[in-house]
Amino acid sequence: MHRTYSMRQSRAPTASQLQTPPPPPSSTKSGIFGRGSLSHALRRNAGGAFGPDLAKKLAQLVKMEKNVMRSLETVSKERMDVAQQLSVWGEAADDDVSDVTDKLGVLLYEIGELEDQYVDRYDQYRITMKSIRNIEASVQPSRDRKQRITDQIAHLKYKEPNSPKIVVLEQELVRAEAESLVAEAQLSNITREKVKAAYTYQFDALREHSEKVAIIAGYGKHLLELIDDTPVTPGETRAAYDGYEASRAIIQDCENALTNWITANAAVSSKLSTRSRNLSQRRRNNIRARTEGHDLSGQDAPYDDSEEEEEEEEEEEELNGETRGRTQEAIAA
């Protein structure tokens, strides 16, 4: 029997990929370090051990996210292996079980490939969070300089209250505080911008992945209906299986559903309660008011002159050029 392990031989871009081009392969793939628990622990524990104090906590988060991505990549590869093994096991079974398990293998393999794509998009979130870490690291020197000058002034005032160096250091402190204000403002602005961007990447990727897995699960249950599970008595022969065209059509429908999926057609939507919606709108209005300013022109009486008058690189693992080969055999139309 012709066995199939992937939905299509060559993949045209899906509607969602045309709408949002996929990112490059994740930096965790084909890394020189393993995916075992030891390497996971080393990355997690070493993440915050080096670098400026300000950036240590986020550095550890970025390292932990790399562990998450490596685990997801392992799940992806093993899911594909399981899909192939299911098809191999069913090959020797009765015609209906053989055909359906073959097609179920196709669907499970597709889930593995979706998980592989999800890793790439997850990396966009992690890279964006790393950029905040890099900004934090760049702000630390200005904090350290201001603190160092402050300590020097305090030391001189205690040891040599009349030292002329105090005036010089105080002037230097004014400049250092001005530099620090600029750096802190940049950090504040960039942190807010990047956090929103990073988690938008993650939640958009998670939403697409989850919806597509749900689509595959639905078509998988349709395939199961092709198996005749009516009990037979010993010696009785089951009717000949006639579901080959139906199983191919189900796979084709699933492929079309995945190809044409876009965020605008997502089946699941997050609906806010009236209270949540009102509170969120109030927050957005407050932000907008601060951005645009308030109109105070109508608050004061006309002027009367007879009376008196106002916001990282960790080290990267080198890619070893490994390519991820896949066995893909097209389903006969």
Side-chain angles (χ1 to χ4, degrees), residues 100-284:
V100 169
T101 54
D102 180 38
K103 301 305 189 296
L104 289 176
V106 171
L107 297 186
L108 293 176
Y109 196 99
E110 184 72 11
I111 292 176
E113 293 191 321
L114 289 175
E115 287 167 336
D116 187 67
Q117 296 167 19
Y118 176 60
V119 172
D120 295 338
R121 298 185 65 188
Y122 198 95
D123 197 36
Q124 293 300 103
Y125 144 76
R126 195 182 70 91
I127 289 172
T128 306
M129 293 300 289
K130 280 176 63 178
S131 68
I132 303 176
R133 181 206 62 186
N134 296 340
I135 295 295
E136 287 182 342
S138 70
V139 169
Q140 187 70 51
S142 67
R143 286 189 178 184
D144 293 343
R145 180 168 176 259
K146 186 175 71 170
Q147 187 61 50
R148 185 173 63 253
I149 296 171
T150 301
D151 292 343
Q152 288 176 338
I153 292 173
H155 178 75
L156 283 175
K157 284 184 175 180
Y158 177 74
K159 291 289 187 179
E160 305 176 50
N162 299 320
S163 173
K165 290 183 179 180
I166 293 177
V167 176
V168 176
L169 287 172
E170 286 177 340
Q171 293 173 345
E172 189 175 347
L173 179 61
V174 171
R175 290 192 294 270
E177 287 176 337
E179 292 174 3
S180 181
L181 280 175
V182 172
E184 296 287 352
Q186 288 179 331
L187 175 60
S188 177
N189 293 338
I190 290 174
T191 296
R192 284 160 173 75
E193 174 192 346
K194 295 298 185 180
V195 164
K196 292 179 75 171
Y199 280 93
T200 296
Y201 280 132
Q202 181 176 152
F203 291 138
D204 284 349
L206 185 59
R207 185 182 193 185
E208 178 173 347
H209 177 71
S210 300
E211 290 250 348
K212 287 185 173 180
V213 169
I215 288 171
I216 291 174
Y219 284 101
K221 294 189 72 173
H222 286 306
L223 281 172
L224 292 176
E225 295 299 321
L226 301 180
I227 295 178
D228 180 6
D229 60 349
T230 305
V232 295
T233 59
E236 182 181 356
T237 303
R238 291 189 182 275
Y241 176 62
D242 58 357
Y244 293 109
E245 290 298 323
S247 66
R248 283 197 291 267
I250 290 172
I251 292 294
Q252 187 62 54
D253 287 346
C254 184
E255 178 185 345
N256 292 339
L258 295 174
T259 300
N260 296 324
W261 186 94
I262 56 175
T263 303
N265 296 339
V268 178
S269 61
S270 304
K271 299 186 185 300
L272 294 177
S273 67
T274 301
R275 180 173 182 272
S276 296
R277 189 163 54 249
N278 290 341
L279 291 173
S280 298
Q281 186 60 50
R282 183 188 305 171
R283 170 64 178 166
R284 290 193 293 270

